[in-house]
Amino acid sequence: MVFSPSEFRSFTLEKIERVNHNVSLFRFKLPNETDIAGLPVASCVVFRSKITKDGKTEEVIRPYTPTSVETLKGYVDFVIKDYPQGVMSRHVHSMKVGDTIDIKGPFEKWNWEKKPVAQVGMVAGGTGITPMLQLLRKVFGPESTDKTSKFTLIFGNTTEEDILFKDELDGYAKTFPDRFSVHYILEKPAAGWTGHEGYVTLDLIKNTMPKPDVESSVIFVCGPPPLMEAVSGDKNPDKSQGTLRGFLKELGYIQDRVYKL
């Protein structure tokens, strides 16, 4: 295996591509051009680096979700936001092509191969779109054998320019209108915005997501802590699922049909 869940291995940064004003795609080269990342959907890895801040050097470890499909050969992509106070994100954004970073994984979240469902609801905020995108690319990609599962995405952002991969998401909605729909919501919309405004609400979830009584269904939630807390309750400090709270609990969803990515 190229990656190992039991040890960190060094990977070389091959490409940096700006996605928007504060998010970039980082492509890391695999040891051989024929290597396949093989990171199951959905899963994450953790980055490790020694980082010096305020004169102190410490080992920092942070989780990231790949956005490239697991069957691609030769590289793996990560889409990472540059948070002003984010120690690891700042470090990654300071890297140059040819630099290396230690990566360990994968750590499986929801294995779609083993647990596919008929209806999927997704609530994402900001870079919380990455595990959603990982799954959407798998299901709607050219190699997919899944022709029936349906997906509904609520995607919250601050401004329209913060919406990651909007063209791709709109493309899925246009190509698969009976299987995928997306609802954008902005905190600070510009004049002329025709989508939802403000924050994710109970009514928005109620009117768009698969109903609580749909047996073959799941609601995925991923985003910043305020969104997580409002929608489903955040994960525990140890990253375990924690109890279901928030709007989804109020609407009658059960723990087994909600998964916090």
Side-chain angles (χ1 to χ4, degrees):
M1 290 180 62
V2 173
F3 292 89
S4 170
S6 60
E7 66 175 4
F8 283 96
R9 295 177 180 176
S10 181
F11 292 85
T12 301
L13 181 59
E14 182 178 53
K15 178 183 178 182
I16 304 170
E17 182 179 298
R18 177 68 74 175
V19 176
N20 68 11
H21 63 105
N22 61 1
V23 176
S24 292
L25 179 149
F26 296 87
R27 175 166 294 173
F28 289 89
K29 185 167 56 175
L30 302 182
N32 301 292
E33 291 184 0
T34 56
D35 286 338
I36 295 173
L39 302 175
V41 175
S43 66
C44 71
V45 298
V46 291
F47 286 15
R48 179 185 71 178
S49 187
K50 289 186 177 179
I51 299 172
T52 300
K53 183 180 180 182
D54 301 328
K56 295 182 180 179
T57 300
E58 61 177 344
E59 184 178 270
V60 179
I61 297 174
R62 294 288 187 277
Y64 289 103
T65 301
T67 54
S68 49
V69 296
E70 73 265 42
T71 55
L72 281 178
K73 295 181 179 180
Y75 64 88
V76 60
D77 290 340
F78 297 89
V79 173
I80 298 173
K81 183 175 180 178
D82 186 6
Y83 291 96
Q85 303 303 317
V87 179
M88 180 60 82
S89 71
R90 294 252 69 194
H91 173 71
V92 175
H93 276 261
S94 73
M95 292 176 66
K96 299 177 177 59
V97 171
D99 290 347
T100 62
I101 199 163
D102 294 338
I103 302 176
K104 181 168 74 171
F107 301 102
E108 189 176 289
K109 294 182 176 183
W110 181 282
N111 191 317
W112 184 256
E113 294 285 350
K114 297 177 181 177
K115 295 193 291 183
V117 295
Q119 295 188 37
V120 179
M122 298 174 162
V123 183
T127 53
I129 192 64
T130 54
M132 314 299 185
L133 193 65
Q134 190 186 31
L135 178 53
L136 293 172
R137 285 177 171 174
K138 178 181 181 65
V139 170
F140 294 128
E143 299 178 5
S144 176
T145 57
D146 184 339
K147 307 299 180 186
T148 59
S149 55
K150 297 182 178 182
F151 297 77
T152 304
L153 167 66
I154 296 173
F155 190 12
N157 286 278
T158 304
T159 67
E160 189 169 2
E161 68 174 347
D162 292 315
I163 301 175
L164 300 174
F165 303 102
K166 187 174 187 299
D167 288 346
E168 182 176 347
L169 295 170
D170 289 344
Y172 293 143
K174 184 177 180 180
T175 305
F176 306 97
D178 58 334
R179 296 183 57 205
F180 178 71
S181 61
V182 56
H183 306 269
Y184 301 107
I185 182 166
L186 299 182
E187 296 173 33
K188 300 176 181 178
W193 172 253
T194 57
H196 302 280
E197 299 182 14
Y199 300 93
V200 177
T201 63
L202 182 147
D203 283 342
L204 182 58
I205 292 173
K206 182 179 180 180
N207 294 330
T208 59
M209 294 288 103
K211 303 305 179 187
D213 60 353
V214 176
E215 200 163 307
S216 182
S217 68
V218 66
I219 308 293
F220 292 129
V221 188
C222 189
L227 178 139
M228 298 290 296
E229 200 57 53
V231 174
S232 61
D234 207 347
K235 288 192 277 190
N236 289 330
D238 64 359
K239 301 305 178 184
S240 60
Q241 287 292 294
T243 57
L244 178 62
R245 305 187 299 278
F247 300 146
L248 293 175
K249 178 70 172 180
E250 291 181 52
L251 288 168
Y253 291 87
I254 62 172
Q255 185 108 18
D256 288 349
R257 293 182 195 153
V258 176
Y259 195 86
K260 306 167 190 179
L261 291 167

